[in-house]
């Protein structure tokens, strides 16, 4: 691979304009594909086969118009007074217009609904008065009949009058039975109305009204075009004296690909590059190539949105990864090239060697990240696998850009990749510079003390453990209106509903109960009514249920649907517990447990499915880590401690996310106005991405240690020498990634913000605490044991020349041992050979 990359780098350098033209053509082609084939991005997530999905499928089969998605429109009066008749009529007109929008099943007038409720209440009151009056009449008739029977008996004429008295008694008994049945039915209706009293569409003070929209498509399939058309009905023609807002189920904003915060992140990365490389040209090259790579990858991903159901966060994730990794991979090659030029190498030869050595490491590191991202498909969760695949496209493009476009641009720039001072020094003192490199290589390096190593390792582990503690309280969920920015329409709608109708109205549940049916239609209908009331009472008796309203019974009288309003909001722990409790209930014996659907229920199911898949994915990632590191370092100890370091980084990152986004610690510093559960797919996504990045840092730090060891340094000296060789470039790479990821922390979308924070914090922890503090300390304590490998395993493992040592032997150039601290790669000399490496194995 190293020889191939060497030749590829030389070819791209010789035909620089051709290589640049090819990439520009690819960018144009990707842009054309985007304009021709891109489609709408989804703003919600779904997993087929969850309990919620099964209930929705059942509803769509058994009930016409059921199983579709829903949306909420919130009207409020500006002065807090009750709606006037003119305002009510105007809102009703807009509701009627919204009902005509394509893909809308129904739009419900809130005032008409409240009138119906009032009419039902009045009917029940009138019915009770009528029945009670009839009961009084019957009681009076019974009293008269009893008196007549007593008189007849006193007069000795009971036998003659008995037949007539019995007939009157039969009439009274029949009427009494009908009245009692009527009262029983009336009480059931009153109970139902009482249980549903908490479900209102107009607030008690008359200042807030909810317009409920039902769509023909399921919640995850409602197009943004349909939502926009409905919102336009209410926004384009405002009702005087009122404000209108839209719930999260209607107006979930699509996060923008580029924002000011992200631009600032790139600027910070540019500053780091200028400081490290010393030239504007050198700093601009990695950023330019990363932007081209991100453009190609993002446009390719977006062009697939027309044929794939792609979440809005998916292309942003690809952009986030492509930008950070693209800058870093270009930096590795540019830094190696600069170092070789300062050692006296010719430009073309140096480009080839940089591509074959640092480029070889880039390919290996990128492949590791790519495999980890593609591994997300192993979870069996479609949208998560697609995220991994889009991220993998970004990584692949970044790697290809680094090994083709970077050499081409380096060729055009020529010696100007060095500063004027560096070029002047090189021209005047070429031989002295080479000698200075050798002197640097012979510099006496002393290992750290064992006491310091113990203290450093202990502090690192304790710090990581403390940071990871909040992860024990991790709760997964999806963002709702309460987590949106306070100036957003979703937040205003959420708070308006919570204040005027109760928190649970923001996350109502749809409950389905199976009924026993009956031998005849009449019996089945009567049983259905009785069992409907029974189920409703069981639901309403639960402490965490605020209201229950029967919605309907299927035509065959075997299914009943209920709307259930929890006491707390959709992301609360009590609502999550309520969903599980309801699914375990069987109010009608022998019919099976209840089914629960709705947006809150769906988010709970998705979170639990992702939680269940995380251990399996972590096991795969950890196993992959052990294998990769075993191949690279030919050691048992190094893969184990490096993998354990990744595990600590992962849980510490989760702990930071929980502390900031779930508990609200330092939330103001990051612009987090409201807390809630952690994004449900974030832990799995974080595991895959952080694993790949952690392997990158381990590669660039650890291979320097291994190379120094196999070239004769004592094990503990090799740790320090390798650390010095790689720390500068790893530090720069980590700061660049933190800057790029950190720019997304200030996104208005809590999904993007939490992902950006998790990745930025994870890189910070892994690069500076694990790779640059914990690993060197543990390697020192292990001594020679760090490089032990059983002989039988040594014989069967392939020799992976990640750093291209064999390539440098075949293509020697005049150079010293390298500028250790400034070097982004391990120190290389022409004298490396496989026999020397083999002599220190085991």
């Amino acid at each position: 691979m190293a020889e191939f990359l060497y030749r590829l780098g030389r070819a791209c350098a010789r035909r620089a304009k051709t290589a640049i033209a090819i990439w520009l053509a690819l960018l144009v082609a990707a842009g054309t594909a985007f304009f021709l084939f891109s489609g709408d991005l989804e703003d919600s997530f779904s997993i087929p086969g969850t309990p919620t999905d099964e209930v929705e499928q059942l509803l769509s089969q058994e009930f016409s118009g059921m199983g579709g998605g829903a949306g909420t429109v919130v009207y409020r009066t500006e002065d807090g007074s009750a709606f006037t008749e003119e305002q009510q009529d105007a809102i009703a007109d807009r509701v009627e217009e919204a009902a005509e929008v394509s893909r809308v099943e129904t739009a419900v007038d809130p005032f008409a609904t409240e009138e119906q409720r009032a009419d039902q209440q009045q009917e029940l009151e009138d019915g009770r008065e009528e029945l009670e009056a009839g009961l009084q009449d019957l009681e009076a008739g019974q009293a008269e009949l009893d008196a007549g029977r007593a008189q007849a008996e006193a007069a000795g004429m009971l036998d003659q009058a008995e037949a007539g008295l019995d007939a009157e008694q039969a009439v009274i008994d029949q009427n009494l039975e009908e009245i009692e049945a009527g009262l029983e039915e009336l009480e059931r209706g009153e109970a139902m109305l009482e249980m549903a009293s908490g479900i209102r569409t107009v607030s008690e003070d008359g200042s807030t009204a909810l317009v409920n929209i039902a769509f023909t498509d399921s919640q995850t399939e409602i197009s943004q075009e349909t939502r926009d058309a409905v919102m336009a009905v209410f926004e384009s023609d405002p009702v005087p004296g009122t404000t209108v807002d839209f719930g999260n189920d209607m107006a979930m904003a699509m996060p923008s690909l580029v924002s000011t915060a992200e631009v600032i992140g790139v600027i910070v990365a540019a500053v780091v590059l200028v400081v490290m490389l010393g030239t504007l040209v050198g700093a601009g090259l990695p950023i330019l190539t990363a932007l081209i790579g991100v453009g190609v990858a993002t446009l390719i991903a977006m062009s697939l949105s027309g044929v794939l159901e792609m979440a809005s966060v998916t292309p942003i994730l690809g952009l986030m990864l492509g930008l950070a990794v693209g800058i870093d991979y270009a930096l590795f090659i540019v830094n190696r090239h600069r170092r070789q030029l300062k050692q006296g190498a010719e430009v073309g030869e140096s480009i080839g060697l940089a591509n074959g050595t640092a480029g070889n490491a880039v390919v290996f590191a990128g492949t590791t990240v790519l495999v980890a991202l593609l591994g997300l498909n192993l979870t069996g969760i479609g949208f998560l696998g697609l995220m991994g695949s889009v991220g993998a496209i970004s990584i692949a493009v970044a790697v290809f850009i680094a090994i083709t476009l970077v050499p081409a641009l380096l060729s055009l720039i020529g010696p100007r990749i060095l500063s004027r001072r560096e070029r002047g020094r090189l021209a005047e003192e070429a031989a002295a510079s080479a000698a200075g490199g050798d002197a640097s290589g012979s510099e006496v390096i002393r290992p750290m003390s064992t006491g310091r190593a113990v203290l450093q390792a202990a502090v690192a582990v304790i710090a990581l453990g403390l940071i990871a503690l909040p992860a024990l309280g991790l709760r997964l969920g999806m963002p709702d209106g309460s987590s949106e920015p306070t100036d957003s329409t979703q937040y205003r709608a959420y708070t308006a509903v919570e204040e005027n109708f109760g928190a649970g109205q923001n996350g109502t549940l749809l409950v389905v109960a199976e009924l026993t049916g009956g031998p005849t239609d009449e019996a089945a209908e009567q049983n259905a009514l009785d069992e409907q009331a029974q189920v409703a009472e069981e639901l309403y008796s639960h402490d965490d249920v605020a209201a229950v309203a029967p919605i309907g019974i299927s035509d065959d009288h075997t299914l009943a649907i209920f709307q259930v309003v929890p006491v707390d909001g959709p992301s609360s722990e009590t609502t999550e517990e309520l969903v599980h409790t309801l699914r375990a209930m069987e109010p009608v014996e022998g019919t099976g447990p209840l089914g629960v659907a709705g947006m809150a229920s769906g988010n709970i199911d998705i979170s639990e499915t992702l939680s269940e898949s995380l251990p399996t994915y972590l096991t795969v990632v950890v196993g992959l880590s052990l294998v990769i590191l075993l191949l690279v370092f030919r050691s048992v100890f190094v893969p184990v401690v490096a993998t354990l370091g990744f595990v600590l980084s992962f849980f510490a990152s989760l702990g930071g996310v929980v502390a900031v986004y779930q508990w609200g610690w330092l939330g103001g510093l990051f612009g987090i106005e409201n807390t809630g559960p952690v994004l449900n797919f974030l832990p799995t996504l974080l595991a895959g991405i952080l694993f790949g990045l952690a392997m990158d840092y381990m590669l660039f730090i650890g291979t320097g240690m291994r190379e120094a060891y196999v070239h004769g340094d004592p094990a503990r000296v090799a740790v320090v020498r390798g650390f010095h060789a790689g720390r500068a470039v790893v530090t720069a790479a980590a700061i660049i990634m933190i800057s790029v990821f950190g720019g997304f922390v200030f996104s208005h979308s809590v999904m993007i913000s939490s992902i950006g924070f998790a990745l930025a914090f994870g890189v910070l922890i892994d690069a500076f605490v694990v790779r640059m503090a914990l690993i060197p300390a543990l390697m020192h304590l292990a001594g020679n044991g760090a490089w032990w490998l059983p002989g039988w395993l040594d014989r069967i493992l392939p020799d992976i020349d990640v750093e291209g040592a064999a390539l440098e032997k075949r293509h020697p150039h005049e150079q010293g041992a390298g500028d250790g601290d400034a070097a982004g790669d391990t120190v290389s000399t022409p004298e490396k050979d496989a026999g020397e490496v083999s002599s220190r194995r085991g």
Side-chain angles (χ1 to χ4, degrees), residues 720-741:
V720 180
R721 190 179 296 279
F723 176 75
H724 285 175
R727 66 184 177 185
V729 74
V730 170
T731 298
I735 292 174
I736 288 169
M737 282 203 175
I738 292 167
S739 302
V740 174
F741 291 146

Side-chain angles (χ1 to χ4, degrees), residues 78 106 126 479 535 685 720 776 834:
E78 293 177 346
T106 58
D126 293 343
V535 173
L685 198 64
V720 180

Side-chain angles (χ1 to χ4, degrees), residues 114-131:
E114 288 302 322
E115 286 180 9
Q116 291 174 2
R117 180 202 299 274
D119 291 343
Q120 290 175 351
Q121 181 68 42
Q122 189 61 49
E123 287 177 9
L124 289 173
E125 291 176 359
D126 293 343
R128 176 168 288 280
E129 288 181 5
E130 184 178 343
L131 289 174

Side-chain angles (χ1 to χ4, degrees), residues 599-611:
M599 183 173 283
S601 169
N603 289 340
I604 291 169
D605 288 345
I606 292 173
S607 300
E608 291 178 352
T609 303
L610 289 163
S611 296

Side-chain angles (χ1 to χ4, degrees), residues 527-590:
N527 288 340
L529 292 173
D530 294 338
E531 289 168 359
Q532 182 188 50
Q534 178 184 342
V535 173
E537 289 173 2
E538 288 258 6
L539 293 172
Y540 191 64
S541 65
H542 199 284
D543 291 340
D544 292 322
V545 171
V548 177
I551 296 178
I553 297 174
S554 62
D555 293 337
D556 60 0
H557 308 295
T558 59
L559 284 177
I561 317 174
F562 303 85
Q563 182 182 6
V564 175
V565 179
V567 171
D568 298 316
S571 60
S572 67
E573 292 184 66
T574 57
T575 299
E576 183 178 344
E577 293 171 1
L578 175 63
V579 169
H580 293 302
T581 300
L582 295 181
R583 285 176 175 164
M585 290 173 57
E586 188 178 356
V588 181
E589 188 175 352

Side-chain angles (χ1 to χ4, degrees), residues 135-441:
L135 186 60
Q136 290 177 357
D137 291 341
L138 285 178
E139 290 174 352
Q142 184 67 56
E144 292 179 4
L145 183 62
D146 291 342
R149 185 181 295 277
Q151 290 176 359
E153 187 177 1
M157 300 179 63
L158 183 59
D159 292 340
Q160 295 88 337
E162 190 167 12
L165 294 172
D166 289 344
E168 291 182 27
Q169 185 65 54
V171 172
I172 291 175
D173 290 342
Q174 182 179 356
N175 290 339
L176 182 61
E177 183 178 344
E178 291 176 356
I179 288 177
E180 288 175 347
L183 284 171
E184 183 178 346
E185 185 176 349
L186 182 72
E187 289 172 356
R188 183 165 57 197
E190 289 175 336
M192 291 285 196
L193 199 61
E194 174 61 27
M195 286 187 283
S197 60
I199 304 176
R200 302 180 59 89
T201 55
V202 179
S203 61
E204 292 184 0
D205 63 1
S207 65
T208 306
L210 305 181
V211 178
N212 294 313
I213 309 293
F215 297 94
T216 57
D217 299 320
S218 67
Q219 196 72 43
T220 57
E221 295 175 346
I222 305 170
S223 68
Q224 192 60 42
E225 182 181 359
T226 299
R227 288 190 174 100
D228 291 341
V230 172
M231 290 189 289
V233 170
F234 299 97
E235 285 183 313
S236 60
D237 188 13
V239 176
T242 70
T243 61
V244 63
D245 288 300
F246 304 95
N248 216 41
D249 47 11
M250 284 282 289
M252 185 177 287
M254 292 292 182
S256 60
L257 283 173
V258 181
S259 70
T260 304
E262 292 143 29
V263 173
I264 293 174
V266 174
I267 292 173
V268 174
V271 171
V272 173
L273 289 169
V274 170
V275 171
M276 182 178 181
L277 302 178
T279 65
L280 291 175
V281 173
L285 189 150
I287 292 178
L288 174 63
T289 56
L291 290 174
I292 293 174
V294 162
V296 172
T298 303
L299 289 170
I300 290 173
M302 295 286 284
S303 67
L304 298 175
S305 61
V307 294
L308 299 174
E309 291 185 5
M310 185 177 295
S312 58
V313 70
T314 301
I316 296 178
L317 176 66
L319 184 149
M320 192 186 301
L321 287 174
L323 193 57
V325 171
I327 294 174
D328 276 2
Y329 288 173
L331 169 63
F332 295 148
I333 295 175
V334 170
N335 188 63
R336 179 67 177 241
H337 173 58
R338 280 171 42 82
R339 175 183 149 211
Q340 292 169 170
L341 288 180
K342 287 188 288 186
Q343 293 167 347
E346 182 268 330
V347 172
E349 179 69 8
S350 177
I351 292 173
L353 282 172
N355 216 45
T357 53
N360 193 37
V362 163
V363 170
F364 189 86
T367 302
T368 303
V369 182
L370 189 145
V371 170
L373 288 170
L374 290 177
L376 289 170
N377 289 281
L378 297 176
T379 62
I381 299 169
F383 75 83
L384 193 59
L386 183 58
M387 284 183 184
S389 299
V390 169
I393 291 173
S394 296
I395 299 298
V397 171
V399 171
F400 284 119
I401 284 271
I403 61 177
T404 57
L405 184 58
V406 169
L409 292 176
L410 286 175
S411 176
L412 293 180
I413 294 171
R416 288 177 299 160
I417 195 69
L418 300 177
S419 67
R420 288 183 179 180
R421 180 180 301 176
E422 290 170 329
R423 295 198 303 271
R425 186 184 304 122
L426 185 63
E428 295 172 4
E429 304 176 2
S433 176
D438 287 338
S440 175

Side-chain angles (χ1 to χ4, degrees), residues 453-495:
V454 171
L455 179 62
Q456 191 167 301
V459 170
V461 171
I462 291 172
L464 290 170
L466 291 175
I467 297 172
L469 279 177
L472 296 175
L474 174 69
R475 287 187 57 243
L476 300 180
M478 282 295 292
D480 55 30
S482 64
S483 60
E484 297 293 337
T486 54
D487 60 348
S488 66
T489 185
Q490 302 98 304
Y491 181 81
R492 291 194 299 268
Y494 186 96
T495 53

